[in-house]
Amino acid sequence: MVEPLSKTGEIDNSLNKNPVDVIQQGMFFNLFTEGLELSPNLSEVYELALAYYESRILTKKELLKSSAYFVKVGSAFTNHFYICTGDPVKIPEYSSSRLKSFFINNQFRTGYSTHGLFPYRGKFHPQMIKALINIMGIKPGETILDPMMGSGTVPVEASLMGINAIGIDASPFCRFMAQVKCDSLKIIPVCLDDLLNKYESIFWEFNSCSKNLNAQKNLFYNNNNFAETVDKEKIFNLVFLVFLDSEGYAQRSKRKSHLEYFRSILERYIVAVNKIIAVKNHLKLKPANTKLLQGDARKIDIENNSIDGIIFSPPYSFAIDYLKNDLSHLKYFEKDISKLNQNMIGMRGKALKEKYHIYLDDMDKVISECYRVLKSGRFCTIIIGTNDSQISKALKIPKEDVAGLNKIIKEIGIAKGFSHVRSLPRQIVGMANTMRQEYIVILQKKEK
Ligand SMILES: C[S@@+](CC[C@H](N)C(=O)[O-])C[C@H]1O[C@@H](n2cnc3c(N)ncnc32)[C@H](O)[C@@H]1O
């Protein structure tokens, strides 16, 4: 065993190690038990750390069934391998090579299962969530909460792992999108391919009664003769999400018409759903229950001490207007957007400084609620960016003197009664190569 550090923390080179021995042995020998094969494209330190925790915390059987960062245990492939392998998502031919290579490089991280159905800003990497669920010791049959679920990454991952999930978001569009992603894990895909043949008539129906969801639904049911066994509503919702997704694409890019985008996105969704349903049946996975609500994370309608784990990511800053991004979709769900804005964390207040203070007050309430609903001894993980630059501007102090949001959130957690277990740093490299630093802050509600 190579011992690089002495007890005092200094580098101990007294053994004068043979370079060939060190290089041949490799570092993984010291980290992982023999027979574990890491997922490809793993490239960041936090990923290696999560893989290490999974390898230490999970049994061999659990590693095979639910680990996120391994593709092989001994000679057997893991469930994660089966879920992610094959074409990640059906990317349209006209997509840029940058987009195509993004999906290929991220095959095991994101885009798999139903996660790729709608591109949502600020979405978690599902692979990271899966590993966090594992290391937080949440087991099948237990219940996890994401009080700000966005596109529903936590409920989708949990459900596939047999863990019940409660998801809340202030935006009715997020609730809808997350519901479609979860429901599609349970859809009977018999008639999906048929929808593709009728894409043009479906599109014009949707277009003709725009903004009246019920009228659209009725027309859809009447014009498609679904068998009794088919859950018509799940199918309608899936196709309606395609309509919204394609509407967004058509607004952003004039390369194709809304109808053309509708066709290619419908095909992409059908391929993704058919694939995850086939894998689910092959692996005999039984997706657990999900309860997804439009609500306010500052006032959660859940009993005290009833939740087995919480993972969430608040708005990354106190100035991202999530509703504005989704405005064209939201009009189908809520007429009065200003009413929604009153509950959106990060949006209230005028000047940046005021926004910042209201943001912290709101986060204080959210963390208080998380503490109340969580069982003692269990974990609450918050993923949050440092946001140094914005705080420095809001408070008019140098960036070096700013306590990052991660530290402030950790202190709020400690004040509520949590103990701080660890904060793992994580670089976020976006498609546009912008880089941000965020932290995975792991808190534990102390045992009584
Ligand atoms: C960073 S995003 C979460 C993204 C999510 N983790 C995912 O994987 O898609 C933050 C979310 O918080 C929601 N939000 C803002 N204020 C809220 C509130 N008071 N209660 C519940 N959700 C809220 C926003 O609508 C947004 O979807």
Side-chain angles (χ1 to χ4, degrees):
M1 185 80 143
V2 180
E3 269 303 330
L5 293 180
S6 72
K7 289 211 170 69
T8 56
E10 282 162 23
I11 295 173
D12 176 7
N13 277 339
S14 59
L15 291 175
N16 206 1
K17 288 169 251 13
N18 178 342
V20 175
D21 288 348
V22 173
I23 296 164
Q24 280 186 340
Q25 195 177 69
M27 63 179 191
F28 293 108
F29 170 84
N30 284 305
L31 284 179
F32 301 109
T33 347
E34 226 186 311
L36 288 181
E37 193 178 314
L38 286 165
S39 66
N41 311 116
L42 187 147
S43 60
E44 295 186 47
V45 177
Y46 87 91
E47 295 180 304
L48 204 56
L50 290 177
Y52 172 77
Y53 300 151
E54 279 195 320
S55 77
R56 295 289 156 138
I57 292 169
L58 300 184
T59 63
K60 192 174 163 191
K61 208 169 145 196
E62 286 171 333
L63 280 166
L64 268 171
K65 249 184 102 180
S66 66
S67 69
Y69 285 106
F70 298 97
V71 285
K72 252 179 154 183
V73 179
S75 59
F77 286 104
T78 61
N79 282 4
H80 194 69
F81 171 81
Y82 286 111
I83 291 170
C84 301
T85 203
D87 267 351
V89 282
K90 189 163 171 40
I91 309 160
E93 283 306 311
Y94 54 79
S95 305
S96 66
S97 51
R98 202 167 57 137
L99 184 79
K100 285 180 187 158
S101 67
F102 174 83
F103 275 106
I104 290 162
N105 291 334
N106 285 288
Q107 183 176 359
F108 287 83
R109 286 197 189 104
T110 187
Y112 61 82
S113 176
T114 55
H115 295 294
L117 294 195
F118 195 101
Y120 187 64
R121 199 172 165 197
K123 183 168 91 68
F124 285 142
H125 272 190
Q127 187 183 28
M128 172 184 88
I129 295 307
K130 189 171 188 173
L132 287 171
I133 292 176
N134 281 325
I135 69 169
M136 288 162 69
I138 310 169
K139 302 291 180 203
E142 294 189 332
T143 301
I144 189 170
L145 166 71
D146 182 341
M148 295 177 152
M149 70 177 154
S151 59
T153 314
V154 170
V156 169
E157 271 312 305
S159 175
L160 265 182
M161 293 165 84
I163 294 162
N164 301 314
I166 303 178
I168 300 172
D169 202 284
S171 154
F173 171 63
C174 284
R175 197 213 65 81
F176 174 78
M177 172 180 26
Q179 189 74 58
V180 172
K181 292 185 182 200
C182 288
D183 283 351
S184 298
L185 300 173
K186 296 181 178 176
I187 231 164
I188 304 171
V190 277
C191 54
L192 288 182
D193 295 324
D194 191 35
L195 294 175
L196 201 55
N197 298 329
K198 301 190 224 157
Y199 82 95
E200 225 166 320
S201 58
I202 296 175
F203 176 83
W204 291 117
E205 277 164 25
F206 274 32
N207 225 27
S208 67
C209 27
S210 57
K211 297 184 202 66
N212 185 341
L213 219 53
N214 279 334
Q216 258 163 352
K217 208 179 266 184
N218 287 333
L219 204 61
F220 185 74
Y221 293 165
N222 291 339
N223 290 346
N224 292 283
N225 276 333
F226 293 114
E228 284 288 302
T229 45
V230 171
D231 189 334
K232 292 189 289 195
E233 187 156 18
K234 287 194 181 92
I235 307 264
F236 170 80
N237 288 344
L238 180 72
V239 181
F240 188 58
L241 191 65
V242 174
F243 185 76
L244 298 182
D245 200 352
S246 50
E247 190 176 50
Y249 267 97
Q251 278 163 4
R252 290 189 298 270
S253 152
K254 298 286 166 237
R255 206 190 318 231
K256 285 190 167 207
S257 69
H258 186 183
L259 173 67
E260 286 166 313
Y261 278 120
F262 180 76
R263 198 215 170 278
S264 56
I265 294 174
L266 181 64
E267 187 181 13
R268 178 157 69 79
Y269 278 29
I270 291 175
V271 169
V273 174
N274 280 339
K275 182 185 160 191
I276 189 63
I277 297 291
V279 174
K280 178 193 85 167
N281 293 341
H282 173 72
L283 297 174
K284 299 191 172 56
L285 302 177
K286 287 202 173 67
N289 295 329
T290 51
K291 190 171 161 191
L292 309 181
L293 309 161
Q294 184 192 346
D296 189 343
R298 295 168 302 173
K299 212 166 171 289
I300 302 175
D301 189 12
I302 293 178
E303 273 177 36
N304 296 351
N305 309 307
S306 61
I307 297 291
D308 300 288
I310 299 176
I311 304 180
F312 73 102
S313 170
Y316 281 30
S317 82
F318 34 95
I320 290 191
D321 192 339
Y322 281 91
L323 292 182
K324 200 167 156 202
N325 285 336
D326 295 335
L327 219 50
S328 67
H329 316 312
L330 272 164
K331 63 179 184 268
Y332 294 95
F333 301 91
E334 174 62 63
K335 300 266 172 293
D336 187 357
I337 304 292
S338 62
K339 206 169 82 190
L340 291 178
N341 245 328
Q342 287 159 16
N343 289 336
M344 292 301 284
I345 292 179
M347 286 321 297
R348 289 182 305 125
K350 287 200 177 74
L352 215 46
K353 189 172 177 185
E354 190 194 4
K355 276 195 161 143
Y356 172 65
H357 288 298
I358 298 176
Y359 176 89
L360 289 189
D361 273 357
D362 283 344
M363 286 311 299
D364 190 277
K365 292 189 183 105
V366 175
I367 295 171
S368 217
E369 282 292 80
C370 289
Y371 187 82
R372 178 181 68 73
V373 300
L374 192 65
K375 290 180 186 168
S376 57
R378 308 307 298 252
F379 298 92
C380 170
T381 298
I382 306 172
I383 293 121
I384 179 109
T386 54
N387 212 356
D388 295 352
S389 311
Q390 216 187 14
I391 301 179
S392 137
K393 268 190 221 144
L395 303 183
K396 297 195 172 53
I397 53 172
K399 220 166 137 185
E400 312 75 72
D401 298 342
V402 166
L405 263 188
N406 55 306
K407 290 198 188 116
I408 300 171
I409 293 294
K410 173 183 127 184
E411 291 310 323
I412 296 177
I414 292 170
K416 300 289 163 204
F418 282 112
S419 52
H420 176 241
V421 181
R422 192 170 184 108
S423 292
L424 280 171
R426 175 172 184 261
Q427 308 284 353
I428 321 162
V429 185
M431 283 249 298
N433 241 352
T434 47
M435 208 197 276
R436 287 197 311 267
Q437 170 99 327
E438 67 176 14
Y439 280 84
I440 303 171
V441 180
I442 306 176
L443 305 170
Q444 185 181 29
K445 182 166 173 177
K446 290 175 203 156
E447 296 273 9
K448 286 261 157 68

